[in-house]
Amino acid sequence: MASIRASQGKRGTAMSEQMREIKDTFFSRSADRFTDLTFYSCGMQNFRSGMNYGPIVRGYYVIHFVTKGRGTLYIRNQKLPVAAGQAFLLPANIPHEYRADPADPWQYCWLSFLGEKAAVWFRMLQQACGGSFVTPQLQVGWFAERIREMIDLYQPDWTGYFECTAMTASILGRLFGELNVSSERESSDDRMMEIRYFIEMNVGKKLKVKEIADEFGYHPNYLTRSFARQFGISPKQYILRVKMLKADKMLQDSHDSISLIALSLGFPDETSFSRAYRKFFGWPPSSRRQVENRGPHALPPGS
């Protein structure tokens, strides 16, 4: 039986205070590959001075609406200030961390979602913000009210799931409107952004640059040059990096065997996966579980 949980107290890698949350534990994951958009979780939280969340890598998309105070988002080697009235956008499969301001700690609400079109819609939101992970000023009170309604009205069954998914679509529609998301033809840089998200959302497949190029109508050489020019890394290198970061997260958070993790990330066998992991991080995957107190791995440049 699927369920939604309401939680208060500790969560993830940070201490939570005055937190209300509902999170789907079945429906969204089963529907993710078959629907354009599906609700995953939402909540509201107050932070104490200097409290942080992360570093963390999530397998879904999250939008935080800051209702009071301020804080800082750390993502892709950027330090981005966020104030009341703004939202910050967190992509799937990308390491990030955020921290409340010591003098004026924030309060925020959030909405997370999945789906076949989630990566594309997320990219459109980011594009409307000039490529930033932080939005301009919004009417955050409206978004906070909708999320509060979702928490108060939810019931853990198919009815509740569909109602939350419908409200997720409504919230995204409102956000698209406030940010004046354009439907004009995409530039080459926009297409490279879409290809990057395509790689991130298909991390479990055996991705090849030629197949990606065919999917998006490019010659492989053109794709490689354009992708590297925009992101400073080739598509082949980026595919490996995304897989390795996902593998590292799975080694920490799951009890799956190394061979199963290898197969789930598109490697033909455990040997080829272990070889790639060791070359990327400098130690074998087995050591990630053997040494509990080593702390987080140092990520390569650009992570």
Side-chain angles (χ1 to χ4, degrees):
M1 178 64 182
S3 66
I4 292 269
R5 70 176 189 181
S7 61
Q8 191 166 352
K10 292 184 179 180
R11 180 176 185 271
T13 55
M15 289 291 291
S16 299
E17 185 174 85
Q18 300 178 20
M19 182 176 80
R20 299 179 65 201
E21 177 189 46
I22 56 173
K23 177 178 288 187
D24 182 68
T25 59
F26 175 78
F27 297 118
S28 61
R29 292 296 185 177
S30 62
D32 179 29
R33 296 183 181 275
F34 307 104
T35 59
D36 288 347
L37 177 69
T38 181
F39 165 81
Y40 182 59
S41 74
C42 68
M44 313 184 79
Q45 184 175 0
N46 299 341
F47 269 64
R48 294 195 309 270
S49 174
M51 285 178 61
N52 76 292
Y53 194 105
I56 190 171
V57 179
R58 294 180 168 103
Y60 48 89
Y61 296 87
V62 192
I63 302 173
H64 286 72
F65 301 94
V66 180
T67 54
K68 291 183 180 180
R70 60 184 64 247
T72 305
L73 169 64
Y74 301 87
I75 186 169
R76 291 192 182 280
N77 296 322
Q78 300 177 63
K79 179 180 178 181
L80 304 174
V82 190
Q86 294 180 294
F88 56 99
L89 314 174
L90 301 178
N93 303 315
I94 300 297
H96 55 264
E97 179 180 3
Y98 40 99
R99 184 173 304 162
D101 184 81
D104 187 15
W106 54 18
Q107 297 178 20
Y108 59 54
C109 55
W110 73 88
L111 173 69
S112 66
F113 55 93
L114 297 158
E116 285 286 304
K117 297 286 185 67
V120 175
W121 290 332
F122 184 92
R123 177 190 52 74
M124 293 172 71
L125 289 171
Q126 190 179 11
Q127 179 185 341
C129 297
S132 176
F133 294 97
V134 179
T135 72
Q137 287 290 311
L138 303 168
Q139 296 181 11
V140 295
W142 185 91
F143 296 101
E145 282 301 314
R146 299 295 81 73
I147 290 173
R148 185 177 292 109
E149 288 176 15
M150 293 172 75
I151 296 172
D152 292 341
L153 299 176
Y154 182 77
Q155 48 187 334
D157 54 21
W158 278 111
T159 299
Y161 163 72
F162 282 120
E163 287 178 343
C164 283
T165 295
M167 294 183 75
T168 298
S170 175
I171 289 172
L172 288 179
R174 172 70 175 244
L175 186 57
F176 267 54
E178 290 203 24
L179 293 176
N180 295 314
V181 174
S182 173
S183 59
E184 296 178 358
R185 184 176 178 83
E186 297 174 312
S187 68
S188 175
D189 286 351
D190 297 332
R191 292 288 280 174
M192 292 304 111
M193 184 82 76
E194 186 174 347
I195 290 170
R196 188 184 74 185
Y197 284 128
F198 176 86
I199 292 171
E200 293 166 1
M201 291 305 293
N202 290 276
V203 66
K205 298 179 181 179
K206 187 177 180 180
L207 295 173
K208 295 184 177 180
V209 174
K210 185 180 185 307
E211 294 173 352
I212 297 173
D214 290 343
E215 175 75 18
F216 287 87
Y218 291 123
H219 188 281
N221 292 343
Y222 176 84
L223 169 59
T224 297
R225 289 195 304 271
S226 300
F227 193 96
R229 182 174 62 248
Q230 183 164 347
F231 301 117
I233 186 174
S234 72
K236 184 177 180 180
Q237 292 170 325
Y238 191 70
I239 290 169
L240 177 63
R241 191 177 81 181
V242 171
K243 288 179 181 290
M244 291 297 98
L245 293 177
K246 181 68 173 179
D248 198 53
K249 183 66 174 173
M250 294 174 72
L251 287 167
Q252 295 178 69
D253 295 347
S254 78
H255 297 289
D256 294 339
S257 66
I258 294 177
S259 60
L260 181 59
I261 291 174
L263 292 175
S264 71
L265 292 173
F267 288 88
D269 51 51
E270 181 179 341
T271 301
S272 60
F273 165 72
S274 297
R275 187 185 305 117
Y277 186 95
R278 186 184 189 107
K279 184 177 181 180
F280 190 82
F281 285 113
W283 47 75
S286 57
S287 68
R288 182 47 145 162
R289 287 175 169 166
Q290 291 173 352
V291 184
E292 294 293 336
N293 297 320
R294 176 178 290 172
H297 286 313
L299 300 179
S303 299

